[in-house]
Amino acid sequence: MAVPKRKTSKWRRDNRRAQNFFSKVKLSSLATCPNCGELTIPHRVCPYCGYYKGREVIKVS
């Protein structure tokens, strides 16, 4: 079995994990709300109007 020769430093570990942050946050993953037309995250309740799949889920003042 392969075993690491030395412990991975915190800097090297965190530096490697930092690359994944930018790949997850993309502008193309936004969808327009069919009710109000604002950009929202898909498959979530719209924070601007409170609608999801044509139904009011939360009251937004």
Side-chain angles (χ1 to χ4, degrees), residues 1-15:
M1 239 173 102
V3 178
K5 198 160 200 163
R6 295 183 197 278
K7 179 181 177 180
T8 307
S9 67
K10 294 173 195 166
W11 180 85
R12 194 171 286 276
R13 176 200 65 198
D14 295 343
N15 211 23

Side-chain angles (χ1 to χ4, degrees), residues 3-53:
V3 178
K5 198 160 200 163
R6 295 183 197 278
K7 179 181 177 180
T8 307
S9 67
K10 294 173 195 166
W11 180 85
R12 194 171 286 276
R13 176 200 65 198
D14 295 343
N15 211 23
R16 182 180 64 243
R17 290 180 184 171
Q19 308 305 317
N20 296 335
F21 175 74
F22 294 108
S23 64
K24 290 181 181 177
V25 179
K26 291 183 181 176
L27 190 62
S28 62
S29 65
L30 295 176
T32 55
C33 174
N35 192 46
C36 65
E38 289 284 338
L39 287 176
T40 59
I41 303 170
H43 308 288
R44 302 287 190 284
V45 176
C46 178
Y48 302 102
C49 65
Y51 274 74
Y52 179 67
K53 288 191 175 180

